[in-house]
Amino acid sequence: MSSETPVRLPVIDFSKQKLKPGSPESNLVKLQVREALEEYGCFEALFDQVLELRHAVFGAMEELFDLPLQTKSSMFQASYFEAILGTHQDCMKTWPLMMHIFLKTLNQTSLTSCGLKETKASGLEKTIRRMILETFGVEKYVDEFIDSTNYILKVMKYEGSQSSKPSIRAHSDQNLLTPLYQNEVNGLEIQNKDGKWINVKPLPNTFFVMTGESLSVWLNGGLRSTYHRVMMKVSKARCCVGMFATPRGGYQVKAPKELVDDKIGLLFKPFDCEEFLGFYSIHAARGDLELILRLIVVSKILQSIIYVKQ
Ligand SMILES: O=C(O)CCC(=O)C(=O)O
Ligand SMILES: [Fe+2]
């Protein structure tokens, strides 16, 4: 299967004037979001302040990866750091700030799960999720759904390489939605409906946004999750920051009744994403690579294995 399919993924304009709730522009953006997610499971989100942040974000990242604390995952051929941030992130405005806090935190503690809770409301992910729910006619659940979200900030660095092996194997993410922001080095590929790999070449002023398994479960299969991998093709390092919107522990990921009809029924057993991720990381920590890889590779069937399809 070629990884050179020349496709331009949809670019959707989220600049402020387009987003006044209820305005014709905002309704159009909403439809574009739904269409892009149905077709590709992802899109590029054009956003006012992104370019201004570029320098700050990648400057902070360089510092971050100079620290002696970096780790290498056994699954992902990338160095990465993670921090869990509370709900209500303003991804755009607070990213440099978060990076700063993140650097400080790393100096004091070890790698993962720093409980940073304080930040401002709203953000790109929240806006997009609201729009998705509106297109499914289930917007009444938006607040409860969004309030039950943790944002996991993950900062990744892939050393330049021209290997034919993926730097991150093909998988779908287990969370809801992921905005990603990368430096100028491409490498992410997504699989389209026909199984063809498409290179993601985001414009510098866009965030790349893709769907995860938990959103697919919540929508009772209404949108599929995006199957993706990272292939490095150049010798320059690739840096990428991802904001993984993830259902909080204690929140049952379950399709609302409006999305369950007699014909298809409830497709997936409700589950607690944090519990699942805990299970997942215990096995990763034990080095149970076989199991983890099986889970990643069969990600689409994953819900039926782990959550037991009803
Ligand atoms: O580096 C990227 O663009 C994607 C990373 C990724 O897929 C992941 O961390 O799950
Ligand atoms: Fe991923």
Side-chain angles (χ1 to χ4, degrees):
M1 241 175 290
S2 158
S3 61
E4 296 299 333
T5 311
V7 173
R8 178 85 244 166
L9 292 166
V11 179
I12 304 180
D13 189 351
F14 283 82
S15 48
K16 262 181 255 129
Q17 66 276 15
K18 303 238 177 220
L19 290 180
K20 289 206 180 77
S23 67
E25 291 86 358
S26 157
N27 290 336
L28 182 66
V29 170
K30 207 185 318 182
L31 294 179
Q32 289 171 337
V33 166
R34 175 73 182 263
E35 218 173 80
L37 293 181
E38 278 181 358
E39 190 56 32
Y40 297 102
C42 58
F43 56 86
E44 287 179 46
L46 193 73
F47 207 84
D48 285 343
Q49 299 111 311
V50 173
L51 276 181
E52 289 159 36
L53 296 185
R54 198 168 178 84
H55 184 70
V57 170
F58 291 115
M61 277 177 77
E62 263 168 42
E63 258 181 74
L64 180 65
F65 284 104
D66 279 345
L67 293 173
L69 285 165
Q70 57 184 287
T71 183
K72 249 199 169 87
S73 145
S74 47
M75 284 184 299
F76 293 177
Q77 292 307 308
S79 307
Y80 72 94
F81 300 99
E82 261 181 22
I84 298 181
L85 303 142
T87 192
H88 294 320
Q89 303 299 320
D90 185 334
C91 302
M92 306 312 126
K93 290 202 186 104
T94 55
W95 271 26
L97 178 65
M98 289 190 298
M99 297 298 291
H100 182 74
I101 298 170
F102 194 42
L103 284 167
K104 288 231 173 281
T105 314
L106 276 169
N107 276 331
Q108 288 154 15
T109 66
S110 64
L111 296 174
T112 49
S113 306
C114 320
L116 308 175
K117 299 283 179 204
E118 295 295 319
T119 43
K120 291 190 207 156
S122 99
L124 180 65
E125 192 280 331
K126 190 176 165 186
T127 305
I128 296 170
R129 196 141 34 115
R130 181 177 293 278
M131 287 181 165
I132 295 172
L133 264 61
E134 281 172 6
T135 69
F136 280 91
V138 286
E139 58 274 20
K140 70 174 185 193
Y141 298 104
V142 162
D143 291 340
E144 169 202 338
F145 194 20
I146 285 175
D147 283 345
S148 312
T149 307
N150 267 340
Y151 288 86
I152 301 177
L153 178 75
K154 189 168 163 191
V155 187
M156 294 157 273
K157 182 180 182 184
Y158 306 79
E159 296 306 334
S161 139
Q162 283 161 22
S163 160
S164 55
K165 279 198 191 149
S167 293
I168 292 191
R169 286 164 203 265
H171 67 285
S172 9
D173 295 340
Q174 307 313 319
N175 58 317
L176 298 158
L177 276 173
T178 313
L180 286 171
Y181 190 49
Q182 65 162 61
N183 67 355
E184 69 281 11
V185 180
N186 296 321
L188 180 63
E189 297 181 1
I190 60 126
Q191 199 175 51
N192 73 5
K193 285 189 198 162
D194 306 325
K196 291 211 169 67
W197 287 103
I198 295 175
N199 297 318
V200 176
K201 297 179 176 169
L203 298 167
N205 52 347
T206 62
F207 278 73
F208 181 74
V209 179
M210 63 183 159
T211 50
E213 297 280 4
S214 294
L215 185 65
S216 183
V217 172
W218 198 95
L219 294 171
N220 208 25
L223 289 175
R224 68 192 168 94
S225 59
T226 317
Y227 203 51
H228 59 282
R229 67 183 182 187
V230 175
M231 304 286 290
M232 289 297 294
K233 302 214 175 94
V234 291
S235 51
K236 194 164 180 211
R238 174 166 186 268
C239 291
C240 182
V241 189
M243 180 65 91
F244 294 73
T246 308
R248 281 206 177 146
Y251 177 79
Q252 289 286 299
V253 180
K254 180 184 179 193
K257 56 182 185 316
E258 292 82 349
L259 299 181
V260 182
D261 61 23
D262 291 346
K263 214 160 102 207
I264 54 168
L266 183 66
L267 285 181
F268 306 105
K269 191 177 170 192
F271 74 100
D272 181 318
C273 191
E274 200 170 281
E275 252 171 43
F276 170 71
L277 291 173
F279 164 86
Y280 186 90
S281 54
I282 287 169
H283 286 278
R286 280 191 200 144
D288 198 349
L289 259 191
E290 266 311 297
L291 175 69
I292 293 294
L293 290 180
R294 222 180 80 225
L295 292 178
I296 291 176
V297 171
V298 294
S299 198
K300 204 55 224 157
I301 324 162
L302 175 145
Q303 291 123 5
S304 42
I305 296 173
I306 302 298
Y307 313 134
V308 191
K309 197 169 171 185
Q310 287 184 330

